[in-house]
Amino acid sequence: MKRDSRLARMIHVLIHMGLLGGRETSETIAKMLNTNPVVVRRTMAALKRKGVVDSEGGRGGGWVLLRSLDDLTVLDIQKALDEGEVLAAGISEDHPACPVERAANAALVQAFDKAESALLDEFAKLRLSIIAEHAISDGRQVIPPPDGRDGNER
Amino acid sequence: MKRDSRLARMIHVLIHMGLLGGRETSETIAKMLNTNPVVVRRTMAALKRKGVVDSEGGRGGGWVLLRSLDDLTVLDIQKALDEGEVLAAGISEDHPACPVERAANAALVQAFDKAESALLDEFAKLRLSIIAEHAISDGRQVIPPPDGRDGNER
DNA sequence: CTAAAGCGTAACTATGATTGTTACGCAATC
DNA sequence: GATTGCGTAACAATCATAGTTACGCTTTAG
C-alpha cells in the first residue's frame, strides 16, 4: 500500500463497465479490484458527482456508465477524482521569509508546473476506448491459467 | 508533514553553504531547516555518498560543499538523493493477468514517463548558482522583521 | 590526557494518507 | 416483508517522512 492507485483502478473499472455495457454492483466491481464494496463506493462517489457514472440502490441496483468510452479521457477521470497534487515532491516551509528558501521553492514550483502540464496533456490524449482496444488485442495473446485464477487471491 | 520535502530542503541548504563558503555544523543547518541535527545528517549522508558534500567529525568539524553552485543543478541533487518515483500516482496491481488492467497501466506508465522526463529536463536546467542570484536580488526587497524572526519558531 | 564538539546510527514515536473492514441506515424490488 | 444494494460513519492496518532521544567514535583545544 504505497502509492495512490485510485486513478488506475477507476480506469480499469470504467473500461470493464464500458465493455460489459450493463449495470455492475459494487460487489462485482470489488472483485475486479480485489478489494471490498465499500472502497468501491467511496471512490465511485466522486465519479458520480461529476456525472461519469450513476448509481441506483435497491434490488437490481448498481452502477451504470453515463458516457461512452470514446467520450472519456484519462484526464476526465483524473479531474473527476479531484485528488490533490500529482507530484510526490514538494516545497519546503521551514523559514518562509528566507530569500534562499523562497528562490529555491520558486524554481521547483516552476519545474513541477511544467511536468504537471506535460502529464495532463498526455492524460488528455488517452481515450478510454483506445485503451480498451489495446486490452482486447492483448487479451487474445494472454493464455489464462486453467482455473481462471491469476495468483492474486486472498 | 505531507509531502517529501527533502529535495527542496537540500537545495535550500546547499545554496546557503555556497554563499557562506565555509564549514557548517549539522546544528547550524538544522536551524536553517527549522529541525534538528539528526534529520540533517540523515539526508546529507546521501549527498556525501555522491561526492556533493563532505563531513568531518570532531571539534571544528562540520559539512563542506565540494562542488561550486555553478557546477550543481537541481537534477544533480535529485539524483544524489536517489528517492523513488517522483510521481504520486501509481498503477494498480489487483489482477496482474487482466488485460484491461494491463492496458490501463501501460497507458498510465507511458504518460508518467513523459511527465517525469519533462520534470528531469527542467531540473537539469536549474543551476544552483542561478537560484542563488534570484535569492540575493529577492533578499534586497525583503524587509526582515525587527527581531529577525519569521514566525516559524517552535 | 582529558573534556568538549561533531558526525554516524539505531531505535522509537508522531503524523498523515490510502486502503481495508465492520456495522448500520435507507431505498427499491420481488 | 425480506432481500438486495447504495451511503456513511467509525475504526484498524500499513507505509513513508519526519522528529526525538540516546549512545558510540573521532578530532581537537587546553
Side-chain angles (χ1 to χ4, degrees), chain A residues 58-80:
Chain A
R59 195 162 197 140
W63 299 88
V64 219
L65 191 59
L66 294 181
R67 293 164 60 181
S68 81
L69 293 186
D70 203 54
D71 189 37
L72 284 170
T73 67
V74 172
L75 180 60
D76 294 325
I77 312 306
Q78 164 71 28
K79 288 199 296 190

Side-chain angles (χ1 to χ4, degrees), chain B residues 42-63:
Chain B
R42 196 186 282 158
T43 314
M44 296 283 281
L47 301 185
K48 179 178 178 178
R49 277 194 295 273
K50 300 299 173 62
V52 176
V53 296
D54 198 8
S55 65
E56 272 183 36
R59 197 166 194 138
W63 298 89

Side-chain angles (χ1 to χ4, degrees), chain B residues 1 3 8 18-19 26 28 33 43 49 63 65 77 81 85 91 98 105 112-113 115 132 139-140 143 145:
Chain B
M1 193 185 319
R3 312 177 89 69
L19 293 177
S26 301
T28 308
L33 298 184
T43 314
R49 277 194 295 273
W63 298 89
L65 192 57
I77 313 306
L81 289 175
E85 304 293 322
I91 62 175
C98 169
N105 281 338
F112 290 154
D113 284 351
R140 292 204 196 92
I143 294 104

Side-chain angles (χ1 to χ4, degrees), chain A residues 3-5 7-9 11-12 15-16 19 31-34 74 85-105 107-108 111-112 114-115 118-119 122-123 126 131 134-135 138-139 142 150 152, chain B residues 3-5 7-9 11-12 15-16 19 31-34 74 85-105 107-108 111-112 114-115 118-119 122-123 126 131 134-135 138-139 142 150 152:
Chain A
R3 312 176 89 68
D4 187 349
S5 66
L7 177 62
R9 281 182 149 180
I11 291 169
H12 179 185
I15 292 176
H16 271 305
L19 293 177
K31 278 175 191 152
M32 293 179 195
L33 298 184
N34 209 23
V74 172
E85 304 293 323
V86 192
L87 297 168
I91 63 176
S92 62
E93 295 176 313
D94 303 312
H95 280 292
C98 168
V100 174
E101 179 174 77
R102 293 155 62 111
N105 282 338
L108 288 176
F112 290 153
K114 287 198 186 174
L119 185 63
E122 291 301 314
F123 280 176
L126 293 173
I131 301 177
H134 291 166
D138 177 45
V142 173
D150 62 12
N152 213 3
Chain B
R3 312 177 89 69
D4 186 349
S5 66
L7 177 62
R9 281 182 149 182
I11 291 170
H12 179 185
I15 292 176
H16 272 304
L19 293 177
K31 279 174 190 150
M32 294 179 194
L33 298 184
N34 208 20
V74 172
E85 304 293 322
V86 191
L87 297 167
I91 62 175
S92 63
E93 294 177 313
D94 303 312
H95 280 292
C98 169
V100 174
E101 178 173 78
R102 292 155 61 112
N105 281 338
L108 288 176
F112 290 154
K114 287 198 184 174
L119 184 63
E122 291 301 315
F123 279 177
L126 294 173
I131 301 177
H134 291 166
D138 178 46
V142 173
D150 61 11
N152 212 3

